[in-house]
Amino acid sequence: MLDPVAPRSRFHTSVSHYFDRAAALTSFEPGLLDQVKSCNSVYRMKFPVKDDDGNIVVVEAYRAQHSHHRLPGKGGIRFSLSVNQDEVVALASLMTYKCALVGLPFGGAKGGVCIDSKSSSVGFRERVTRRYTAELVKKNFIGPAIDVPAPDYGTGEQEMAWIADTYKALNFNELHPYACVTGKPLDLHGIPGRREATGYGVFLGIKQCLAHREDIEPLGLEPGVEGKRVIVQGLGNVGLYAARFLHDAGALIVGIAELGGGIYHPAGLDVNKVAAHFQANHTLRDYEPGTFIADSSAVLEMPCDILVPAALENQITAANAHKIQAKIVAEAANGPVDFDADEILAERGILVIPDLYLNAGGVTVSYFEWLKNLSHVSFDRMNSGYIESSKERMLSAVEMLTGRSIGEAERDLITAGPREIDFVRSALADTMELSYHNIRDLWKTRDTPDLRTAAYIFGIDRVARSYMAHGIFP
Ligand code: NAD
């Protein structure tokens, strides 16, 4: 049971409990596990920024580097008034195990800035972002080989562009300045597919889970995404794309929860229309068709097959876990299910697809963007034409041998060379498939209670073995 008066935040304590539960099932020595669990460095800063009226505002911010076993560190930057050191450290530790789990050569890191992204003007956000970047540069907390941020809650491509530009301005001799941050716009050395990567990865992960009949039949579900009733919490970057991909694959999005209320409609919602309504009105009130539910958290308790919390941590706790009607909880956000709730959901036979695995699509495609920025060439530039002409030759040989020829349109379809987005999507799909099999195998073949514990064991194992291979300096 989580201690309600513990000095650590609920989120941090949950991650710590998840780690300990998994670590107990490994055979690493306690000191090594302590190192794998510990956060290596935290930079807490306060800096002045002028608000839109010219007044000085002191902003509090953080960057945590949880692990240096691989460099650079990698992890998003969150803009939210609820940011605090505990939260940033917990998020950074999740990044360590996540990157290890999906086989990315990064340490875990995370940043947070205490401002309200939604109510801040563009000008204020730009001044805060640039000053935050300058603070990170001053302390050597950012750089292509040191620590590479990305978007998270409350930030997006625009903030990443400001970070890249500020870093470049302060490091004019740097050969790879754009590799200092990922999630950048396409016009500033970004990569196609990064914007929707986390949501697409969430969709792919759910699809993997739903492909195993023996795992989901006991939940009363048939394999496949089609026809599944889904509720999504949070229509931001992760939630919106996850909902769109699930909808396009035939799922029914029966509920959407946002700040200020949600909407429930058993016949299925049009995700794009709901998103457009929310963007225009900043509320889901008056959206039709569907029933408006003013208490947004009550939407999570409505009937569905799959609940996708894609907003923030601690959304499912001991207070509401026994009311969840979903058969699968798919953790698109980081830490949406706390430790107590996790135990209640397990007792109730509800399957949880853990954050460590499920939202790893974003950092995976960030890895591809970082590689692209280091090599200064897009993934299709060197081989797309070659692949296309090879396929042309092969098709011509088949036509010659069979004496039959194929139509123009069909020919173009078959021989088209891959574009960069094709490489990104297929490599992401491979990662999500392989990683799911890795954690599922561990869950099924060893004495591992659930997918989350399997994901932690996998991550801990890779980080611990890396530390052992490095040895301890001096
Ligand atoms: P975002 O800022 O783009 O969107 C979050 C949305 O959630 C907003 O629309 C906000 O209004 C809504 N929201 C906040 N509190 C809510 C509540 N109580 N009920 C309903 N809706 C609520 O953020 P995002 O980038 O989509 O991130 C969401 C989660 O996913 C976070 O936990 C983040 O750490 C995680 N994540 C994000 C990425 C990424 O690439 N952006 C990658 C991995 C994990």
Side-chain angles (χ1 to χ4, degrees):
M1 184 78 180
L2 291 176
D3 180 352
V5 289
R8 289 286 184 197
S9 73
R10 172 169 288 272
F11 180 29
H12 190 287
T13 310
S14 284
V15 173
S16 173
H17 284 6
Y18 289 140
F19 180 95
D20 292 344
R21 188 171 67 185
L25 297 173
T26 69
S27 51
F28 296 111
E29 62 172 279
L32 180 58
L33 287 170
D34 203 13
Q35 171 57 25
V36 176
K37 187 179 180 182
S38 301
C39 181
N40 290 168
S41 354
V42 184
Y43 175 27
R44 172 177 169 272
M45 65 204 95
K46 288 200 178 200
F47 50 78
V49 178
K50 287 204 172 153
D51 71 12
D52 298 331
D53 300 322
N55 302 314
I56 296 169
V57 181
V58 177
V59 175
E60 182 161 339
Y62 303 87
R63 184 73 185 172
Q65 294 173 351
H66 175 261
S67 157
H68 295 135
H69 75 291
R70 294 260 192 275
L71 288 171
K74 193 87 192 75
I77 294 177
R78 179 173 284 197
F79 280 8
S80 160
L81 286 175
S82 64
V83 158
N84 58 65
Q85 183 166 324
D86 252 16
E87 180 186 69
V88 175
V89 168
L91 288 163
S93 67
L94 287 179
M95 287 306 296
T96 295
Y97 316 132
K98 188 181 302 180
C99 290
L101 169 64
V102 297
L104 305 178
F106 296 131
K110 203 82 180 191
V113 182
C114 299
I115 62 163
D116 180 19
S117 179
K118 285 191 178 166
S119 64
S120 302
S121 69
V122 175
F124 184 69
R125 277 192 292 121
E126 175 168 3
R127 291 191 291 280
V128 169
T129 307
R130 288 188 183 276
R131 179 62 190 249
Y132 176 67
T133 309
E135 295 295 325
L136 294 178
V137 169
K138 249 183 354 198
K139 290 279 191 244
N140 219 13
F141 256 67
I142 186 171
I146 300 167
D147 189 347
V148 180
D152 191 73
Y153 186 92
T155 60
E157 289 175 14
Q158 179 59 82
E159 285 75 14
M160 303 308 116
W162 290 326
I163 291 172
D165 184 62
T166 308
Y167 180 85
K168 187 169 183 281
L170 298 174
N171 295 275
F172 51 88
N173 269 338
E174 165 82 69
L175 177 60
H176 314 295
Y178 294 106
C180 78
V181 65
T182 58
K184 302 178 294 293
L186 283 178
D187 290 332
L188 203 74
H189 308 274
I191 194 164
R194 175 59 185 90
R195 185 183 295 172
E196 67 272 27
T198 311
Y200 186 50
V202 167
F203 159 68
L204 292 170
I206 292 173
K207 195 170 140 196
Q208 283 299 324
C209 174
L210 291 173
H212 293 88
R213 182 179 283 280
E214 65 271 40
D215 298 348
I216 59 163
E217 243 175 21
L219 307 174
L221 295 175
E222 280 295 307
V225 173
E226 198 162 351
K228 296 292 179 295
R229 297 165 309 142
V230 178
I231 292 177
V232 178
Q233 182 197 34
L235 263 193
N237 174 274
V238 179
L240 179 58
Y241 282 108
R244 276 187 187 155
F245 284 111
L246 285 162
H247 173 267
D248 292 350
L252 279 183
I253 309 299
V254 296
I256 291 179
E258 248 299 342
L259 284 176
I263 194 103
Y264 187 75
H265 189 49
L269 294 158
D270 182 324
V271 178
N272 291 328
K273 278 194 186 155
V274 176
H277 182 94
F278 187 71
Q279 214 162 16
N281 306 293
H282 308 292
T283 173
L284 292 179
R285 194 181 286 279
D286 298 331
Y287 178 84
E288 285 185 350
T291 307
F292 178 72
I293 300 173
D295 174 7
S296 184
S297 61
V299 179
L300 311 188
E301 298 159 15
M302 300 299 285
C304 67
D305 298 316
I306 305 170
L307 173 60
V308 184
L312 283 171
E313 56 268 18
N314 299 332
Q315 297 304 301
I316 304 172
T317 65
N320 61 353
H322 57 284
K323 297 186 202 157
I324 299 298
Q325 299 194 53
K327 292 154 185 162
I328 295 175
V329 174
E331 290 189 320
N334 284 307
V337 176
D338 81 4
F339 189 76
D340 291 342
D342 195 60
E343 299 207 317
I344 296 169
L345 295 180
E347 276 162 22
R348 295 186 55 220
I350 296 171
L351 179 68
V352 176
I353 313 178
D355 49 6
L356 275 197
Y357 162 71
L358 195 66
N359 67 33
V363 69
T364 301
V365 176
S366 275
Y367 171 49
F368 305 150
E369 182 178 333
W370 179 71
L371 290 175
K372 175 181 172 172
N373 295 154
L374 293 178
S375 61
H376 301 261
V377 66
S378 65
F379 284 100
D380 55 349
R381 174 100 190 239
M382 300 304 289
N383 54 14
S384 183
Y386 177 75
I387 292 171
E388 189 164 329
S389 53
S390 303
K391 290 202 278 184
E392 294 262 12
R393 282 199 298 277
M394 201 170 327
L395 202 57
S396 300
V398 171
E399 284 177 332
M400 200 182 71
L401 290 170
T402 59
R404 299 171 69 179
S405 66
I406 195 165
E408 194 74 18
E410 193 69 1
R411 183 178 197 93
D412 288 349
L413 205 66
I414 294 172
T415 59
R419 298 159 306 147
E420 193 166 36
I421 184 76
D422 300 320
F423 286 115
V424 168
R425 287 265 170 90
S426 68
L428 173 57
D430 285 350
T431 302
M432 295 307 291
E433 184 176 347
L434 177 68
S435 303
Y436 190 78
H437 284 278
N438 283 341
I439 58 172
R440 184 179 177 274
D441 286 353
L442 199 54
W443 173 36
K444 293 289 164 186
T445 55
R446 292 225 307 236
D447 200 12
T448 310
D450 49 36
L451 277 172
R452 188 194 308 280
T453 309
Y456 270 83
I457 291 177
F458 216 92
I460 291 169
D461 185 72
R462 281 190 167 156
V463 179
R465 283 191 290 119
S466 167
Y467 276 122
M468 287 197 315
H470 280 94
I472 302 295
F473 176 81

